[in-house]
Amino acid sequence: MSSRNGASMKERILGKKKIVIKVGTSSITYDNGKLNFRFIDQLARQISDLMNRGIQVILVTSGAIGVGVPIIGFKEKPSYLPYKQAAAAVGQGFLMNVYERIFHEYGRHVGQVLLTKGDSLNPKRYMYARGMMMALLELGVLPIINENDAVAADEIKIGDNDTLSATVASIADADLLIILSDVAGLYDKNPSRYADARLIPEVDSFSRALFRTAEGPGTARGTGGMYTKLLAAEICVHSGIDMVIARSAEPQVLYRIMDGESVGTFFRAEDVHPQMKKRKMIIGADIKGTIFVDQGCSDAVLHRGSSILPVGITGADGDFQDGDIISVRCGGEEIARGITHFSRADVEKLCGVHTSEIPQALGYAAPYDTVIHRDNLLVLH
Ligand code: GLU
């Protein structure tokens, strides 16, 4: 089916290069809280194979609390927060150990990443989280992500891994999010209450009215129900990222989705210009300073999508630190804004310096060779 914004679902899926896959607690465990090795093994096999095809994959997994609860000896998920955090601390280690060993069988290394809300809201932490995830992908390592449930509580928590996975997809600039869970997709009404509920194969244009179909909480062991999945879809669709919800128990579910078969519900993303994706993070924040660049640098940024290198910088103004949002000006005009890797004091030492001379200019081995990486640069013209 071809629709509104261009290519068919299949064509869009076949073009995906970087995907985030989210699995819920109810998919990776049995009702008694013990791990479902059969599912985890199939998941690892399919993910490793997709990576062998050249697709970059990030796995977001729940289960820390769910797995930790029976290990510690609790009969059910405790409501006392420190116990829940303790369960997460135990369960997260256990879970990673299992993933590590299973992915190793398929020749893959994994890297554990535990995030909290601040990593998506604070520009500096966003920049570091993004750089780290890009590095893991570039190095061929599978990032395995969860919320840092052992230390995060309430206001610093995202709270559910559906929203976390959409946030990760946007930080990592993914082009598809696949949420695998115990539901087959989005229905036109609640399938557990209405026998005639019908699965919606494709949502072409996201609307808040969809939330009306999403009543009810998740399962006893998981956190999110359809509501949080729709929240995730909303984030993805508005960030230009397609999303699929499918039942994890479907045989070969990832292969089938990635081969373009209609499985579950496909949410078609809006056409979002890559620059617009950065807009929310960069435009909303306070500008802490300015760097001035020469015409060559300005041309490279405006016409060739380059990063800002020290060699093109002629001066700096304001009191900014690494991780702050700064403005980039050339000949009296603001050409871009972005997140700086260096403080003003360091930028002044770097003016006009060639990349190979950065360590001498700074007096230390710099962690970056760009002042603003193009991933963190919003071009204004
Ligand atoms: N982060 C939680 C865990 O690993 C799960 C949150 C969720 O299921 O959405 O146990």
Side-chain angles (χ1 to χ4, degrees):
M1 183 177 68
S2 224
S3 32
R4 207 171 43 94
N5 38 1
S8 70
M9 189 253 300
K10 181 166 183 172
E11 286 163 340
R12 288 172 77 101
I13 292 278
L14 293 180
K16 301 302 181 195
K17 300 258 178 309
K18 194 191 291 179
I19 66 177
V20 176
I21 296 165
K22 184 258 169 177
V23 289
T25 307
S26 59
S27 302
I28 61 163
T29 60
Y30 291 108
D31 285 345
N32 61 10
K34 297 258 196 303
L35 284 175
N36 180 339
F37 284 121
R38 185 180 183 172
F39 172 74
I40 297 175
D41 186 54
Q42 283 165 3
L43 178 77
R45 190 184 182 91
Q46 292 175 80
I47 288 179
S48 306
D49 200 45
L50 291 174
M51 291 169 79
N52 285 353
R53 279 193 213 172
I55 297 173
Q56 295 187 316
V57 182
I58 296 174
L59 177 62
V60 175
T61 181
S62 306
I65 299 174
V67 168
V69 163
I71 296 179
I72 291 192
F74 292 122
K75 293 266 168 301
E76 56 190 36
K77 204 197 267 189
S79 51
Y80 181 53
L81 179 62
Y83 283 172
K84 236 194 273 186
Q85 291 171 298
V90 172
Q92 182 64 30
F94 189 89
L95 201 56
M96 277 314 289
N97 190 279
V98 169
Y99 279 125
E100 219 274 326
R101 280 183 294 141
I102 293 189
F103 275 100
H104 191 74
E105 283 185 27
Y106 296 102
R108 287 290 166 190
H109 292 293
V110 303
Q112 171 182 260
V113 179
L114 300 176
L115 299 173
T116 53
K117 203 176 194 169
D119 297 302
S120 65
L121 294 181
N122 174 297
K124 184 165 178 165
R125 287 171 57 183
Y126 176 93
M127 174 182 82
Y128 288 129
R130 186 182 176 106
M132 171 270 302
M133 275 193 258
M134 301 296 194
L136 286 172
L137 294 174
E138 183 194 316
L139 298 168
V141 175
L142 173 73
I144 299 191
I145 300 183
N146 196 358
E147 179 136 47
N148 194 350
D149 296 310
V151 299
D154 295 341
E155 67 280 2
I156 62 160
K157 248 189 116 145
I158 293 176
D160 71 88
N161 278 12
D162 295 323
T163 312
L164 174 70
S165 61
T167 308
V168 165
S170 120
I171 294 178
D173 252 333
D175 42 27
L176 176 69
L177 167 63
I178 300 174
I179 293 188
L180 297 180
S181 94
D182 51 0
V183 294
L186 179 69
Y187 286 81
D188 58 353
K189 47 191 162 188
N190 187 339
S192 55
R193 289 187 32 201
Y194 302 94
D196 62 341
R198 279 198 328 234
L199 183 78
I200 304 171
E202 186 164 338
V203 174
D204 229 6
S205 84
F206 190 91
S207 119
R208 289 228 118 203
L210 290 173
F211 282 100
R212 274 191 245 120
T213 62
E215 29 178 342
T219 54
R221 283 163 299 125
T223 304
M226 189 47 74
Y227 180 77
T228 53
K229 291 178 181 50
L230 287 176
L231 283 179
E234 190 173 35
I235 296 173
C236 282
V237 162
H238 295 324
S239 312
I241 302 165
D242 289 333
M243 189 180 115
V244 174
I245 302 177
R247 200 202 310 271
S248 56
E250 269 329 309
Q252 315 281 359
V253 65
L254 289 176
Y255 287 149
R256 287 166 56 201
I257 293 170
M258 294 311 292
D259 288 344
E261 198 181 307
S262 174
V263 187
T265 303
F266 175 80
F267 294 83
R268 179 178 293 262
E270 288 169 2
D271 289 327
V272 181
H273 190 277
Q275 285 294 326
M276 286 300 287
K277 295 191 187 179
K278 302 172 195 163
R279 186 166 276 270
K280 221 169 93 216
M281 173 63 55
I282 292 173
I283 282 289
D286 287 343
I287 308 288
K288 294 285 169 51
T290 306
I291 55 172
F292 302 95
V293 299
D294 62 22
Q295 196 58 47
C297 174
S298 168
D299 289 345
V301 166
L302 295 182
H303 308 299
R304 294 196 296 280
S306 302
S307 299
I308 307 260
L309 302 177
V311 71
I313 299 179
T314 56
D317 196 15
D319 179 21
F320 57 86
Q321 300 300 321
D322 58 308
D324 283 340
I325 310 276
I326 58 172
S327 163
V328 182
R329 301 184 82 89
C330 176
E333 238 193 305
E334 183 177 34
I335 60 160
R337 283 182 199 177
I339 311 175
T340 174
H341 285 147
F342 293 98
S343 66
R344 166 157 182 203
D346 279 347
V347 169
E348 280 185 342
K349 293 183 201 152
L350 290 174
C351 286
V353 165
H354 284 277
T355 304
S356 59
E357 291 154 6
I358 293 175
Q360 293 95 296
L362 290 176
Y364 66 92
Y368 297 98
D369 56 8
T370 56
V371 172
I372 304 178
H373 191 274
R374 63 164 178 257
D375 286 346
N376 302 317
L377 188 68
L378 176 73
V379 176
L380 297 175
H381 286 264

